[in-house]
Amino acid sequence: MKRKFIFFASFGFLIYSGFLLSRPLTAASSAPQIWVATWTTSQQIPEPQNALPLEDLRDATVRQIFHLSIGGYGLRVHLSNAFGTEPLRFTSVHIARPLSTSSPAIDPASDRPLTFAGKFDVVVPPGAEFISDSVIQEVPPLSDLAVTFHLDAPPSRESSHPGSRATTYYVHSDATGAATLTEPKHVDHWFQVSEIDVQAPPEAATIVVLGDSITDGHGATTNGNDRWTDVLAARLQASPGGTRNIGVSNQGIGGNHLLTDGLGPNALSRFDRDVLAPAGVRWLIVFEGVNDLGGLARTAEVPPADHAALVERVLAAYQQIIDRAHAHNLRVLGATITPYVGSDYYHPSPTSEADRQSVNQWIRAPGHFDAVLDFDAIVRDPAHPDQLQPAYDSGDHLHPSPAGYKAMADSIPLTAFQQ
């Protein structure tokens, strides 16, 4: 039988096969360990329709469920107040194993309180995040983790991720350790949690994906964890080729732009926080640009010179990202922009389609990205290359379906992440 070690921060002793040993736990194992991001989400200011009313977050317990990638023998949680304008106090934060991805129920035996510098409450300064003390326990790869926190007062401004494709539950009063939440309200957004790390062997690392709604998972199944990044994480775990110590950090934001603030900060402005900051990052996948290209002439056509200027700026932004990533010894993979002719939102003209082809030609050309993921070639309709294949189309002719996301992830050569 496999032995499991669980560390209770409030006691500081090791429980082994049901017995409490007197020696304190100093490490998850005798081998050196490093912190690696197993789950992340990009923070933004939610649009009014996606923000919770302030009174819903007063004396409130919020329970959220996160799907992890890499496993390990210890974890820590990052609380975010990235866009808050005043300090935010979390009075209690717990972790537990959820009974389902679409239920507020947890396994009570797995419930653990987190501490922050040894205390159960923490005040996160405005514009900052705070990392919990480590909890040493086995964290299986591809498992789900419930994080529950209590706020006595709402944030001055919410830091959230509206495109969670996962359900969050909330009630009034402190129910952080409750086995379930009684008659909770619920929304499909995440709030105030930005990253979960695990302790893993020294060769472990993570892949950061910088993207827009196609990376965020628009068109994926709510609570189904079938974004293309989820499928990639599962492939890394299933492969016998030494990739099981590689995590996936999804930093996609729906409506995100390379050059301008759309929904969430533009990609260049969020580079440090979302690309460089996650623990253990070694690779970067860049899959951005469709919103820049589509937005140029969304409401009316513009002169050809404006199209040419936009393409130049998009390519310059890619080069900025590549240069900044290389300065931190990251390997950078570029993903081609997928088709969107037929989109009712962007309704691209032939000139916009030519822009996409120009950008993709640059991405594919040697000497720019370290490697290329040709998502365009995977999901386009062979009979109509400016459109998504019907089998891979979510229905809006812009975002892939779960089948399209799987095809994209399956096309990625895992040899690109050789250690």
Side-chain angles (χ1 to χ4, degrees):
M1 183 177 69
K2 189 175 182 178
R3 297 169 175 173
K4 295 185 179 180
F5 296 81
I6 301 176
F7 177 72
F8 290 85
S10 56
F11 295 105
F13 296 103
L14 182 68
I15 294 181
Y16 172 71
S17 299
F19 295 95
L20 183 67
L21 303 183
S22 59
R23 68 180 178 86
L25 184 68
T26 57
S29 70
S30 58
Q33 301 283 296
I34 63 169
W35 287 110
V36 175
T38 183
W39 174 90
T40 64
T41 198
S42 299
Q43 300 299 292
Q44 64 184 93
I45 302 169
E47 315 88 88
Q49 70 272 22
N50 290 328
L52 288 180
L54 291 181
E55 286 309 307
D56 282 354
L57 287 174
R58 191 177 303 279
D59 184 24
T61 294
V62 178
R63 178 164 289 170
Q64 307 178 86
I65 299 171
F66 308 116
H67 186 64
L68 310 183
S69 56
I70 187 177
Y73 286 88
L75 66 84
R76 63 186 187 183
V77 174
H78 297 232
L79 301 178
S80 178
N81 193 21
F83 294 98
T85 57
E86 297 178 4
L88 178 63
R89 179 173 181 252
F90 295 79
T91 64
S92 179
V93 185
H94 284 225
I95 58 170
R97 182 180 67 85
L99 297 186
S100 165
T101 58
S102 54
S103 163
I106 62 168
D107 174 7
S110 69
D111 182 69
R112 304 283 182 269
L114 294 182
T115 59
F116 301 83
K119 296 184 177 181
F120 291 109
D121 69 329
V122 61
V123 177
V124 184
E129 68 177 25
F130 214 102
I131 306 173
S132 74
D133 299 335
S134 60
V135 176
I136 306 302
Q137 68 180 55
E138 184 177 9
V139 182
L142 307 178
S143 59
D144 299 308
L145 182 73
V147 177
T148 309
F149 63 75
H150 176 262
L151 302 175
D152 51 6
S156 56
R157 187 166 60 187
E158 294 168 20
S159 298
S160 81
H161 188 84
S164 65
R165 276 89 207 175
T167 304
T168 289
Y169 305 89
Y170 57 102
V171 297
H172 287 298
S173 76
D174 188 345
T176 47
T180 192
L181 303 182
T182 304
E183 298 183 354
K185 295 181 179 180
H186 60 88
V187 292
D188 292 336
H189 312 309
W190 283 318
F191 299 90
Q192 314 292 160
V193 178
S194 58
E195 181 172 336
I196 299 168
D197 303 329
V198 293
Q199 281 194 316
E203 66 271 17
T206 202
I207 305 162
V208 166
V209 183
L210 185 67
D212 50 40
S213 57
I214 300 178
T215 294
D216 204 11
H218 187 101
T221 308
T222 299
N223 298 319
N225 297 310
D226 52 10
R227 311 164 191 83
W228 71 265
T229 53
D230 298 320
V231 180
L232 173 59
R235 288 190 63 216
L236 290 166
Q237 289 302 314
S239 172
T243 60
R244 293 175 183 171
N245 283 320
I246 299 175
V248 179
S249 164
N250 186 322
Q251 300 286 5
I253 295 179
N256 200 231
H257 293 221
L258 281 165
L259 302 171
T260 58
D261 290 348
L263 299 180
N266 69 79
L268 290 180
S269 73
R270 65 188 182 96
F271 183 88
D272 287 1
R273 179 175 63 241
D274 290 350
V275 174
L276 299 182
V281 58
R282 189 174 299 166
W283 300 275
L284 168 64
I285 297 175
V286 181
F287 186 28
E288 286 253 21
V290 69
N291 293 315
D292 298 84
L293 300 181
L296 177 66
R298 188 173 78 85
T299 58
E301 188 52 273
V302 299
D306 291 352
H307 284 272
L310 176 65
V311 169
E312 288 184 358
R313 294 182 63 215
V314 166
L315 301 183
Y318 285 152
Q319 192 62 57
Q320 285 284 302
I321 290 171
I322 293 167
D323 291 345
R324 292 172 68 181
H326 283 170
H328 292 270
N329 298 314
L330 304 184
R331 180 173 169 81
V332 190
L333 294 77
T336 52
I337 299 174
T338 49
Y340 65 107
V341 164
S343 163
D344 290 335
Y345 185 74
Y346 283 134
H347 41 81
S349 67
T351 310
S352 293
E353 171 61 13
D355 295 343
R356 186 180 74 89
Q357 295 294 343
S358 295
V359 169
N360 282 349
Q361 183 179 5
W362 189 93
I363 292 172
R364 295 184 181 108
H368 299 141
F369 288 100
D370 298 315
V372 176
L373 306 180
D374 202 345
F375 289 161
D376 170 46
I378 297 301
V379 301
R380 69 191 180 204
D381 185 344
H384 305 281
D386 57 358
Q387 300 175 28
L388 291 170
Q389 285 195 49
Y392 293 159
D393 192 338
S394 68
D396 66 4
H397 313 304
L398 172 62
H399 299 94
S401 63
Y405 286 139
K406 184 177 187 305
M408 290 163 58
D410 286 347
S411 74
I412 300 173
L414 299 188
T415 53
F417 311 112
Q418 288 177 339
Q419 302 279 18

